[in-house]
């Protein structure tokens, strides 16, 4: 019922920027939490940023603070991740996810029900 489709990934050099998009379709009701995750080869999936929609609070992982910014276009139902000053260690498959179940007290403590297929981001010289 809820579909998320990521786009915007690609190959860039260190220091360059990318903007990822996540198009959301399905019920028009707002979701409890929305987030971007990434997984690099041989590593665990990690949360990059998430937002608890009830109060608009946003939480970024330390490694991307000051470089990445998440935003939403509610009219178009698109979630964005603006990634600046990209580093090789940012290389990963990036996923967007959401949930409408408040299983935790904030966006970093919930089980995400709906996931996109992922988009590859590669940062290399």
């Amino acid at each position: 019922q809820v579909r998320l489709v990521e786009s915007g990934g690609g190959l860039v050099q260190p220091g360059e920027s990318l903007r990822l998009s996540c198009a959301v379709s399905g019920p028009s009701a707002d979701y409890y939490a929305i987030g971007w995750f990434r997984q690099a080869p041989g590593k665990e999936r990690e949360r990059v940023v998430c937002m608890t929609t009830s109060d608009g609070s946003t939480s970024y992982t330390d490694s991307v603070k000051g470089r990445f910014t998440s935003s939403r276009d509610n009219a178009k139902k698109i979630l964005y991740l603006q990634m600046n000053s990209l580093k090789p260690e940012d290389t990963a498959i990036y996923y967007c996810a959401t949930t409408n179940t408040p299983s935790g007290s904030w966006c970093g403590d919930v089980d995400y029900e709906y996931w996109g297929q992922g988009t590859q981001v590669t940062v290399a010289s």
Side-chain angles (χ1 to χ4, degrees), residues 28-104:
S28 60
D30 203 2
Y31 304 104
Y32 177 72
I34 303 173
W36 284 97
F37 298 77
R38 66 185 181 186
Q39 187 166 24
K43 292 189 175 182
E44 294 285 320
R45 185 177 65 198
E46 68 171 338
R47 186 183 69 252
V48 178
V49 59
C50 69
M51 182 175 68
T52 307
T53 59
S54 60
D55 60 7
S57 61
T58 303
S59 180
Y60 296 86
T61 190
D62 287 343
S63 63
V64 307
K65 287 181 178 178
R67 299 189 298 121
F68 290 12
T69 304
S70 66
S71 61
R72 290 193 299 168
D73 184 330
N74 290 330
K76 297 180 179 180
K77 300 188 69 174
I78 300 175
L79 176 69
Y80 298 103
L81 181 65
Q82 179 67 45
M83 306 184 297
N84 298 327
S85 302
L86 283 162
K87 304 175 180 179
E89 51 263 44
D90 295 319
T91 296
I93 300 175
Y94 284 71
Y95 302 88
C96 60
T98 189
T99 184
N100 55 18
T101 302
S103 54

